[in-house]
Amino acid sequence: MTWHVGFIDNYQQTGECCLKLRHGKRGTQLRGWFGPLARHLYSLTQPQFHANQSKTSKHLAIDKQMAQFLLIQASFFHQRCFHMYQVKDDIKRQNLNFSHEVCELLLFIRMSNHHPSHKTIQLFVQHQIPWCEDFEKKIEDLLAVKLIQKFSHNNLVFYDKNPYPHDHLLDLKTLKLEDFIDREYSPNQQQLLICQIP
């Protein structure tokens, strides 16, 4: 039985990557991972990917044993990250209604190297927790207990794992938000400084 692993770097210009495990003959997707977890799993299979593939999109045929290895590694790494990023402890400490989806959303935001946009969160939900229908309500719950924070500019929305007030820089060209830490700010470079009052 053959399986296929597909990897896409910088999926839909989000800065996050996507990994999909599909059944070879049927073409049905067994699992999908998005963001840091996808990158970790890709690193386990990277030596097996063909060198002549595109840099941004890669596909690899694997056997059943390798597919099982990926699923087991995903489970172990996932549980380790829940513990390392204190996801379940913080949710319980804030008396939030405990659910798998809330844990997944908080873990993704905490693991991301970016300030994920609303679109990025939607893509994460589609690939990793597609059964979650009310993720916006769960994001609002995380915001309400100050485990994350939200930034809006015009029709753009970003989320930050750091819930404490701090300044940000929005690149108006790439539409990426990042922390403003002792950097030179130049409005001529199409950047917007977003200041927060503590």
Side-chain angles (χ1 to χ4, degrees), residues 36-48:
L37 183 55
R39 189 166 300 283
H40 172 75
L41 293 174
Y42 170 68
S43 72
L44 298 177
T45 58
Q46 192 173 10
Q48 298 184 34

Side-chain angles (χ1 to χ4, degrees), residues 143-197:
L143 289 166
V145 295
K146 297 188 179 355
L147 285 174
I148 61 172
Q149 64 176 314
K150 175 180 175 179
F151 296 93
S152 301
H153 174 71
N154 294 338
N155 60 345
L156 301 171
V157 175
F158 299 93
Y159 300 96
D160 192 341
K161 61 187 143 198
N162 180 353
Y164 300 103
H166 59 288
D167 298 338
H168 290 81
L169 200 60
L170 175 63
D171 188 321
L172 298 173
K173 206 172 186 179
T174 63
L175 300 180
K176 302 290 182 195
L177 185 75
E178 56 187 59
D179 290 338
F180 180 74
I181 306 170
D182 298 329
R183 289 185 45 180
E184 268 190 41
Y185 167 60
S186 172
N188 297 334
Q189 294 177 351
Q190 295 185 327
Q191 297 171 332
L192 176 67
L193 183 61
I194 302 174
C195 295
Q196 282 188 288
I197 299 170

Side-chain angles (χ1 to χ4, degrees), residues 101-157:
E101 294 83 2
V102 168
C103 289
E104 291 289 344
L105 286 163
L106 182 58
L107 179 63
F108 172 72
I109 293 169
R110 285 185 172 178
M111 286 182 73
S112 178
N113 292 325
H114 310 281
H115 290 75
S117 67
H118 191 76
K119 174 192 168 188
T120 302
I121 297 290
Q122 283 178 310
L123 290 170
F124 165 74
V125 169
Q126 288 171 13
H127 288 282
Q128 208 152 315
I129 48 172
W131 58 84
C132 180
E133 295 176 353
D134 59 344
F135 80 91
E136 291 182 358
K137 165 73 169 75
K138 296 183 188 319
I139 288 284
E140 290 300 322
D141 290 344
L142 290 169
L143 289 166
V145 295
K146 297 188 179 355
L147 285 174
I148 61 172
Q149 64 176 314
K150 175 180 175 179
F151 296 93
S152 301
H153 174 71
N154 294 338
N155 60 345
L156 301 171
V157 175

Side-chain angles (χ1 to χ4, degrees), residues 63-77:
D63 60 17
K64 183 179 179 181
Q65 188 176 0
M66 184 62 182
Q68 289 173 336
F69 170 77
L70 264 184
L71 291 168
I72 291 168
Q73 288 301 312
S75 179
F76 285 154
F77 185 69

